[in-house]
Amino acid sequence: MRTLILYPETLLNLPVLGFSNCNGKRKVQYESSEPADFKVDEDGMVYAVRSFPLSSEHAKFLIYAQDKETQEKWQVAVKLSLKPALTEESVKEPPEVEEIVFPRQFSKHSGHLQRQKRDWVIPPINLPENSRGPFPQELVRIRSDRDKNLSLRYSVTGPGADQPPTGIFIINPISGQLSVTKPLDREQIARFHLRAHAVDINGNQVENPIDIVINVIDMNDNRPEFLHQVWNGTVPEGSKPGTYVMTVTAIDADDPNALNGMLRYRILSQAPSTPSPNMFTINNETGDIITVAAGLDREKVQQYTLIIQATDMEGNPTYGLSNTATAIITVTDVNDNPPEFTAMTFYGEVPENRVDVIVANLTVTDKDQPHTPAWNAVYRISGGDPTGRFAIQTDPNSNDGLVTVVKPIDFETNRMFVLTVAAENQVPLAKGIQHPPQSTATVSVTVIDVNENPYFAPNPKIIRQEEGLHAGTMLTTFTAQDPDRYMQQNIRYTKLSDPANWLKIDPVNGQITTIAVLDRESPNVKNNIYNATFLASDNGIPPMSGTGTLQIYLLDINDNAPQVLPQEAETCETPDPNSINITALDYDIDPNAGPFAFDLPLSPVTIKRNWTITRLNGDFAQLNLKIKFLEAGIYEVPIIITDSGNPPKSNISILRVKVCQCDSNGDCTDVDRIVGAGLGTGAIIAILLCIIILLILVLMFVVWMKCRDKERQAKQLLIDPEDDVRDNILKYDEEGGGEEDQDYDLSQLQQPDTVEPDAIKPVGIRRMDERPIHAEPQYPVRSAAPHPGDIGDFINEGLKAADNDPTAPPYDSLLVFDYEGSGSTAGSLSSLNSSSSGGEQDYDYLNDWGPRFKKLADMYGGGDD
């Protein structure tokens, strides 16, 4: 019997005892005689199932053990007693520490007793987590019974000692005292497996290592945590009690096999609380939420919010830790409300003969969720439309029914329709709904009379007439009908299409008369049928019109004489071996065409003397030379062809025969000469066209050259190309002293704009020949192509501008001309003859300057020259 000593008033919620079997390979099942108070785990640890204070009386219970394989049974009695309260003397005394001795046993060997090592299963050490110390806290002492004779050293290895996390457990190498250095956390490591070693001072192993298992006893130091803080679920409206909604789940980091990790769920609140404050319940162990009351109606309450609480310690409100989460339950819609028409009768109108026109909008109301199959309406016509002239489509946005005309309606036949329509949802109503599944209404549709097109009947109209009718012959009457019986209207007729312009129609009565001879062989006749189109128009508002086609089937008469075919042929100079096969072309048809009769005329006499014709059948004949030799050339042979009409019609048709020299095979050898001699009309026309086109091209080129010369002469009136120095390099004859006389900067001549600006020059060092600083006047701009008569105006305007320009040279000093051409600073020399320098000034002193200035003296001094 083992005795467990507990402190007074201790709550037994921790493991209190441990059992182990001698052979660790056995599978033993444990049971307690008091399962309501104590239980035994598979590892032999005894736990208190519930929390209760221990009375002063001794508590006894039994532990049963059974081998699962051999069914062998054992039992042991466990006695619990209270340990007396500690006194001051007992507090001062250090607590006794359990001692673990390396196990040994003696065996007889060779007449001597020897120690033989044997394996024991040492019960695990149970250590509560989150201990407050003090640290290091002694756990157990490890000792070998050989320490009396030897100086031993103790050590421990394994996770928590010399392996990560290191330093949690330490051992005194001399005394073997095993201690823990800090609080443990079961949620991080629930069990430590250490090995204790004993060696001598030389490091030689003295004992076999023993296993030490340290179990970290769980404390309720973790609150339950929900996997989601907000849970979303759905439930159909009208669900019966007991309908599953959703499952919420929380986890607890504490031991799930102990009370600390056993969770219980409950609903703290429900919002809104209608129609009942307890519409839902939750399974306290699984977290399943189900309905417990009827009355879920989405049209009244669309969403419920539940506050769910999870508590450990099996939901103990005193000792358990709690946490909360929110469950949002959306009430989904079912088809519990059918569509209802907003009116019993709807009205609409439609013009006759119109299709795809919306006649009326049918409006319904449905309390179900919009844009769902339980809300979407489906309309159908249940009566009043036997011919299927109407259809109803659903507007996907408004859910209205659009009554549409799908077949034309004739006002003269139906002036009004009264339709019976029904509306229902896309899905059937839910079971148990007392409402009718559909709603009905009537639609009154009024047909509006409109002016319709007159129509010809029959259309097309076919008549048969012989060709060759003279102008003025009345063929038929082609009239149209007006479908508007209730409108008094007149119809007038006009001709719309008459390709050959053979017919006319009376605008009032529709009589059709010929104005030309009808010809079946006309290119406007296809397959013996001539088509003419006529228009009938009424005087309604608005006026309408219709077209009709008259088809005239023309009967053939013998009005076309046959012609020879082909019209050109070739043959050899001798009768053999060639012959010419011919036939006849007749634009008439049977019986006014073949068979044909072929013959040669009596004159000229050379025809029958040189040629002979033989009829092969009713359509073909053969032309041969009658004489032995005919000189090469082109001959025109007249042939009389007669058709089989009644009366028959004859015609003399010319066959153009080319007679040529032939080789042994009967092929012409001088075709080129004959063809060249007989140049056809088409070839001559083509040659003339080429010559005319060539002459036109030559004429256009001459005109273009004259226009170009005129443009060049107009440009010379404005400026002489020899005097235009813009963009030209000018060469001046210069005499000087050689290279030493060429010391000047040519860049100033090439880019005068880069000269140093006047604004940055110091005051007082300006040259006398430089341009004064004044605002430049605006000179007239010469147009790109001025009229010759404007040249004088342009020169006078430039002269006035130069007279009033204070910046224009000369400046009464020696000038340095840097640049010649466009933009030159030299400006114009017209000031030499400006009006401001008139004849008041005396230039006679120029005569004293020598012969070089004689010309100037004569110009300004009034000389004879």
Side-chain angles (χ1 to χ4, degrees):
M1 178 181 295
R2 300 184 63 182
T3 302
L4 180 66
I5 302 176
L6 301 177
Y7 289 97
E9 305 299 328
T10 302
L11 295 178
L12 299 183
N13 58 354
L14 299 176
V16 297
L17 196 61
F19 290 90
S20 62
N21 57 75
C22 297
N23 186 358
K25 298 181 180 179
R26 283 190 172 188
K27 295 182 180 180
V28 181
Q29 180 179 0
Y30 300 95
E31 292 183 3
S32 171
S33 62
E34 302 292 339
D37 296 332
F38 302 97
K39 71 175 182 178
V40 185
D41 286 345
E42 293 182 356
D43 57 358
M45 300 302 298
V46 182
Y47 289 88
V49 176
R50 61 187 181 90
S51 300
F52 57 90
L54 206 64
S55 63
S56 58
E57 298 179 357
H58 297 293
K60 295 182 180 180
F61 62 95
L62 298 177
I63 299 296
Y64 303 100
Q66 182 179 5
D67 193 318
K68 295 182 179 180
E69 296 180 356
T70 64
Q71 303 299 323
E72 186 178 357
K73 298 182 180 180
W74 302 272
Q75 71 177 21
V76 63
V78 179
K79 179 181 179 182
L80 301 179
S81 61
L82 292 176
K83 184 177 180 180
L86 297 178
T87 61
E88 294 182 1
E89 290 78 6
S90 63
V91 173
K92 294 179 182 179
E93 296 178 359
E96 296 183 359
V97 179
E98 184 179 356
E99 186 176 88
I100 298 177
V101 180
F102 283 91
R104 293 175 182 276
Q105 69 176 8
F106 291 89
S107 64
K108 202 168 188 179
H109 183 72
S110 301
H112 301 282
L113 291 176
Q114 292 184 354
R115 288 182 179 177
Q116 183 178 359
K117 299 178 181 178
R118 58 189 175 91
D119 295 334
W120 280 11
V121 177
I122 300 176
I125 301 172
N126 298 318
L127 185 61
E129 66 173 333
N130 303 326
S131 175
R132 297 183 178 180
F135 296 102
Q137 179 181 351
E138 297 179 352
L139 300 179
V140 70
R141 179 179 297 169
I142 300 173
R143 187 182 66 81
S144 174
D145 55 3
R146 299 184 63 181
D147 61 355
K148 299 177 180 179
N149 301 326
L150 298 174
S151 177
L152 302 181
R153 297 292 183 268
Y154 301 97
S155 63
V156 290
T157 60
D162 61 341
Q163 298 177 18
T166 60
I168 297 179
F169 299 97
I170 59 175
I171 190 171
N172 189 314
I174 304 300
S175 63
Q177 181 67 48
L178 180 64
S179 304
V180 61
T181 60
K182 59 182 180 180
L184 303 180
D185 188 356
R186 191 204 68 85
E187 285 70 43
Q188 293 184 357
I189 301 178
R191 173 178 291 185
F192 294 90
H193 192 174
L194 305 178
R195 305 200 76 182
H197 307 270
V199 298
D200 58 17
I201 58 177
N202 295 323
N204 299 320
Q205 180 176 314
V206 177
E207 303 283 358
N208 281 340
I210 59 174
D211 293 332
I212 300 176
V213 177
I214 300 174
N215 290 326
V216 182
I217 306 304
D218 184 39
M219 302 291 290
N220 193 15
D221 57 344
N222 290 280
R223 291 182 178 273
E225 295 291 340
F226 283 91
L227 296 181
H228 305 287
Q229 194 58 35
V230 177
W231 297 78
N232 293 285
T234 59
V235 60
E237 63 175 332
S239 297
K240 297 179 179 180
T243 303
Y244 171 80
V245 180
M246 61 189 299
T247 299
V248 296
T249 304
I251 58 175
D252 196 318
D254 293 326
D255 188 0
N257 298 320
L259 294 176
N260 300 334
M262 295 182 180
L263 306 182
R264 297 294 182 266
Y265 302 93
R266 70 190 186 101
I267 299 176
L268 295 182
S269 65
Q270 169 193 307
S273 59
T274 57
S276 171
N278 298 314
M279 297 295 296
F280 305 92
T281 186
I282 188 170
N283 187 308
N284 63 349
E285 293 185 1
T286 62
D288 295 342
I289 299 176
I290 61 176
T291 61
V292 293
L296 291 173
D297 190 352
R298 189 203 65 85
E299 287 73 33
K300 295 180 180 179
V301 179
Q302 298 183 2
Q303 184 174 282
Y304 289 91
T305 301
L306 307 180
I307 304 300
I308 310 298
Q309 183 186 61
T311 306
D312 57 16
M313 297 296 292
E314 290 187 325
N316 190 313
T318 304
Y319 304 105
L321 302 178
S322 302
N323 211 338
T324 61
T326 302
I328 299 177
I329 301 175
T330 302
V331 182
T332 59
D333 186 38
V334 298
N335 192 13
D336 56 347
N337 294 281
E340 297 180 2
F341 283 103
T342 59
M344 295 302 298
T345 304
F346 296 88
Y347 299 93
E349 58 183 20
V350 58
E352 64 173 331
N353 300 322
R354 296 282 300 276
V355 294
D356 297 330
V357 178
I358 298 176
V359 176
N361 281 18
L362 310 181
T363 56
V364 295
T365 58
D366 196 320
K367 297 179 181 179
D368 292 321
Q369 185 175 359
H371 306 291
T372 62
W375 178 82
N376 296 334
V378 178
Y379 300 88
R380 60 184 178 87
I381 300 175
S382 59
D385 185 22
T387 57
R389 299 183 181 275
F390 298 91
I392 305 178
Q393 299 178 352
T394 303
D395 189 323
N397 296 321
S398 63
N399 210 28
D400 293 346
L402 307 178
V403 182
T404 308
V405 180
V406 294
K407 292 182 180 180
I409 302 174
D410 187 8
F411 173 83
E412 286 70 27
T413 304
N414 299 99
R415 298 188 182 184
M416 178 176 289
F417 290 87
V418 178
L419 309 178
T420 302
V421 297
E424 57 188 1
N425 293 125
Q426 289 181 348
V427 295
L429 287 177
K431 294 181 180 180
I433 303 302
Q434 303 301 324
H435 300 287
Q438 65 182 15
S439 177
T440 59
T442 58
V443 182
S444 179
V445 180
T446 301
V447 181
I448 302 175
D449 189 17
V450 297
N451 188 19
E452 300 178 74
N453 298 323
Y455 64 93
F456 288 88
N459 189 15
K461 184 176 182 179
I462 302 176
I463 62 174
R464 299 171 65 90
Q465 291 289 342
E466 283 189 353
E467 64 174 332
L469 289 179
H470 299 288
T473 304
M474 199 277 289
L475 297 180
T476 185
T477 300
F478 196 22
T479 59
Q481 301 178 11
D482 192 346
D484 299 311
R485 298 196 301 266
Y486 301 98
M487 297 182 182
Q488 300 299 326
Q489 300 177 149
N490 297 324
I491 298 179
R492 295 187 65 83
Y493 303 95
T494 56
K495 184 172 63 174
L496 190 62
S497 173
D498 183 11
N501 196 24
W502 288 344
L503 309 173
K504 71 175 181 178
I505 187 170
D506 189 281
V508 177
N509 56 25
Q511 286 187 356
I512 298 177
T513 308
T514 61
I515 59 175
V517 178
L518 304 183
D519 185 8
R520 191 197 65 84
E521 290 75 31
S522 170
N524 297 308
V525 178
K526 305 297 181 181
N527 298 324
N528 302 326
I529 294 177
Y530 179 75
N531 292 312
T533 306
F534 300 93
L535 181 70
S537 304
D538 61 22
N539 58 349
I541 300 176
M544 304 298 291
S545 61
T547 60
T549 300
L550 177 65
Q551 291 184 342
I552 305 175
Y553 188 89
L554 294 175
L555 303 176
D556 186 38
I557 63 174
N558 195 12
D559 58 345
N560 291 280
Q563 298 178 4
V564 68
L565 191 72
Q567 296 180 356
E568 293 183 358
E570 63 181 26
T571 185
C572 298
E573 296 175 333
T574 60
D576 295 326
N578 287 346
S579 61
I580 301 174
N581 293 328
I582 61 174
T583 185
L585 174 65
D586 195 333
Y587 292 104
D588 294 324
I589 59 177
D590 290 336
N592 298 317
F596 301 98
F598 301 89
D599 199 0
L600 296 176
L602 297 177
S603 63
V605 295
T606 57
I607 298 300
K608 281 201 170 185
R609 184 183 62 193
N610 296 336
W611 304 93
T612 181
I613 190 167
T614 305
R615 182 181 180 187
L616 299 179
N617 53 39
D619 294 329
F620 292 92
Q622 195 173 72
L623 180 68
N624 294 291
L625 280 175
K626 189 175 182 180
I627 60 179
K628 295 183 179 180
F629 178 80
L630 183 64
E631 185 180 357
I634 298 177
Y635 299 86
E636 291 184 352
V637 180
I639 298 175
I640 301 174
I641 304 177
T642 305
D643 60 20
S644 299
N646 187 17
K649 203 172 188 66
S650 298
N651 180 37
I652 299 178
S653 183
I654 302 301
L655 175 63
R656 195 163 178 266
V657 181
K658 301 176 183 179
V659 180
C660 60
Q661 298 178 1
C662 297
D663 56 13
S664 60
N665 297 325
D667 297 328
C668 288
T669 58
D670 57 349
V671 177
D672 295 338
R673 178 177 59 81
I674 297 175
V675 172
L679 194 62
T681 305
I684 296 174
I685 294 175
I687 295 174
L688 291 177
L689 288 176
C690 293
I691 295 174
I692 293 172
I693 293 174
L694 183 61
L695 292 176
I696 292 174
L697 292 177
V698 173
L699 181 62
M700 291 176 62
F701 179 75
V702 172
V703 172
W704 177 74
M705 291 295 295
K706 289 185 177 181
C707 293
R708 185 178 178 184
D709 292 340
K710 289 182 179 180
E711 293 179 358
R712 186 177 301 173
Q713 292 175 2
K715 291 182 179 180
Q716 289 178 355
L717 292 176
L718 301 178
I719 183 171
D720 191 351
E722 295 180 358
D723 296 335
D724 189 3
V725 297
R726 293 174 296 177
D727 300 330
N728 294 327
I729 300 176
L730 303 181
K731 181 179 179 182
Y732 295 91
D733 294 332
E734 183 181 36
E735 296 181 1
E739 293 181 357
E740 66 276 2
D741 197 28
Q742 307 297 324
D743 189 13
Y744 51 84
D745 187 7
L746 293 177
S747 63
Q748 302 300 324
L749 299 177
Q750 298 171 354
Q751 298 179 350
D753 295 335
T754 60
V755 180
E756 182 181 6
D758 297 334
I760 62 175
K761 288 186 178 181
V763 180
I765 64 172
R766 185 177 302 276
R767 293 170 14 191
M768 293 302 295
D769 59 344
E770 288 184 352
R771 186 177 186 174
I773 301 176
H774 294 287
E776 296 185 3
Q778 185 67 30
Y779 281 88
V781 179
R782 185 177 63 188
S783 61
H787 191 274
D790 297 336
I791 297 177
D793 296 338
F794 171 78
I795 295 175
N796 292 331
E797 291 176 4
L799 181 61
K800 292 179 181 180
D803 292 339
N804 299 323
D805 186 2
T807 63
Y811 309 125
D812 297 331
S813 60
L814 180 62
L815 299 180
V816 178
F817 292 91
D818 296 337
Y819 180 78
E820 293 184 11
S822 176
S824 173
T825 57
S828 175
L829 298 179
S830 61
S831 59
L832 294 176
N833 193 23
S834 63
S835 60
S836 61
S837 58
E840 299 91 9
Q841 191 168 351
D842 185 11
Y843 294 98
D844 293 335
Y845 63 91
L846 295 175
N847 295 319
D848 301 331
W849 287 10
R852 292 186 178 182
F853 294 92
K854 185 178 184 305
K855 185 65 175 177
L856 291 176
D858 294 340
M859 292 174 59
Y860 290 90
D864 296 335
D865 295 332

